[in-house]
Amino acid sequence: MKVPIITDEAAQAGGWHGIALQQAFAARGIEAVFVELQDCVIDLSGEQPIINMPKFDALPKMAFIRGIAAGTLQQVITRLNILHIFRIQGLKVYNDAKAIERTVDKGMTSFLLKQHGLATPATWVCESRHIAHQIISDQLAQQSTLVIKPLFGSQGQGVRLVNQESKSPLPKDSFVDGVYYLQSYIDSGDSHHDFRVFVVNNQAIATMRRTGSGWLNNVAQGAQCHSEQDSAIEALAIAAAKAVDIDYCGVDIMRDKDGQLWVLEVNSIPAWRGLQSVTQVNIAQTLVDDLINKSISKTHAK
């Protein structure tokens, strides 16, 4: 059997995560090859619609989504459409396009968390620069601090604090791509840290505490990783995964200085290199085994 690992790092042999997944598939006797969605073709010229995928003569039974390359709106929609078509044609897509769409958009993630009654920071999403400025002014007048983030983005890139000391609190439209995503800042006290919980099939398989030198705690920004075991954090992460209806994810949680837990984000294509360094769980193998089991269940259900 051969399966595709959909990646945006095919030129780098899949990167660290792709190689770990490839080895995990090999441990189960399955060959995994790296494919980029921009190299696939939606072919509607014959009697049946098909997707022409490099390195595959026939449709595989499953596909692992490790990365989707950035592009224009039309390109990204086309790539997600390919994943939708895969699912319609019977592939087990892990994570599928619907889950990715719900979580890559921080605004939709925040909405779903709020709708399911989970503690998540107060959030505002708007396109109007005037309205965004008014929201910031109102919050600053209440002595509140905000965080402004790119609607699409990860690893702490483009995230900034908006407080009384900010000289230019509102970035130019080009820096936010026309959408302002504003969120109340959660103060964790003197110890700057948050938690990343890796959830697979609605089970928390590993948790770490990330401690940074400043208010950002992303591993990509230099945060230190420490293993953590906390049933309350794990339960909240599982509830967040269920709220967005996803096969696996990385859930970011913060405990404020008063002890309350807050869900910050849910990541549908999470990195786990830092987490793997502090856990005995083989994360790649756990992911691959869950995908294989769900693919088998999907086949038997037909």
Side-chain angles (χ1 to χ4, degrees):
M1 182 187 297
K2 185 167 66 172
V3 302
I5 297 175
I6 305 297
T7 180
D8 55 356
E9 297 182 306
Q12 291 79 41
W16 184 90
H17 294 86
I19 292 170
L21 290 168
Q22 198 172 50
Q23 292 171 345
F25 276 113
R28 299 295 181 254
I30 299 173
E31 179 188 4
V33 297
F34 302 117
V35 174
E36 297 195 359
L37 287 175
Q38 56 266 43
D39 295 328
C40 298
V41 177
I42 302 173
D43 186 348
L44 309 178
S45 64
E47 292 184 2
Q48 297 295 326
I50 60 172
I51 302 291
N52 291 322
M53 186 189 306
K55 306 174 186 176
F56 288 85
D57 296 325
L59 202 65
K61 295 182 179 180
M62 65 185 97
F64 193 106
I65 314 305
R66 179 54 221 153
I68 300 174
T72 65
L73 176 61
Q74 292 92 329
Q75 288 173 322
V76 171
I77 289 175
T78 299
R79 292 163 193 170
L80 288 170
N81 281 343
I82 291 172
L83 299 186
H84 282 298
I85 293 170
F86 280 160
R87 188 172 184 269
I88 291 169
Q89 294 190 326
L91 267 75
K92 174 56 188 175
V93 183
Y94 193 90
N95 282 307
D96 67 20
K98 288 184 178 180
I100 292 172
E101 289 167 350
R102 285 190 293 266
T103 54
V104 73
D105 177 345
K106 291 183 179 67
M108 178 54 72
T109 304
S110 294
F111 166 77
L112 290 170
L113 293 172
K114 193 78 172 181
Q115 187 185 44
H116 283 79
L118 301 181
T120 192
T123 302
W124 300 261
V125 185
C126 66
E127 294 186 36
S128 167
R129 183 177 181 85
H130 172 74
I131 293 174
H133 188 274
Q134 188 60 53
I135 291 168
I136 291 173
S137 297
D138 291 346
Q139 292 302 303
L140 293 182
Q142 299 174 40
Q143 304 302 310
S144 297
T145 297
L146 296 177
V147 178
I148 187 165
K149 305 177 182 180
L151 195 65
F152 304 144
S154 62
Q155 299 183 330
Q157 297 179 8
V159 180
R160 57 178 293 183
L161 208 59
V162 181
N163 54 25
Q164 297 288 350
E165 289 73 37
S166 300
K167 294 182 179 179
S168 55
L170 199 61
K172 296 179 180 179
D173 290 359
S174 58
F175 287 93
V176 297
D177 203 21
V179 177
Y180 294 91
Y181 177 89
L182 303 165
Q183 198 167 63
S184 291
Y185 171 67
I186 302 300
D187 186 358
S188 61
D190 295 334
S191 176
H192 296 290
H193 68 275
D194 67 1
F195 304 95
R196 162 60 64 90
V197 186
F198 213 90
V199 179
V200 180
N201 194 27
N202 293 329
Q203 296 183 43
I205 67 165
T207 304
M208 68 176 172
R209 183 177 72 257
R210 300 180 295 196
T211 304
S213 57
W215 65 279
L216 273 178
N217 303 302
N218 298 82
V219 174
Q221 303 290 333
Q224 299 298 309
C225 304
H226 309 274
S227 180
E228 186 79 22
Q229 289 185 330
D230 188 309
S231 59
I233 292 173
E234 292 172 358
L236 183 56
I238 291 169
K242 290 179 178 179
V244 301
D245 189 17
I246 198 166
D247 284 318
Y248 78 97
C249 59
V251 183
D252 294 341
I253 293 175
M254 181 171 283
R255 177 179 279 120
D256 67 22
K257 61 183 181 181
D258 298 318
Q260 181 173 348
L261 295 174
W262 301 84
V263 182
L264 302 182
E265 294 183 17
V266 180
N267 302 274
S268 57
I269 307 180
W272 66 84
R273 191 169 186 174
L275 180 56
Q276 187 63 78
S277 70
V278 297
T279 182
Q280 297 299 312
V281 175
N282 186 327
I283 296 173
Q285 196 66 65
T286 303
L287 290 167
V288 164
D289 289 347
D290 186 49
L291 169 56
I292 293 171
N293 290 337
K294 287 179 175 176
S295 178
I296 292 172
S297 299
K298 187 178 180 71
T299 301
H300 289 167
K302 291 181 179 178

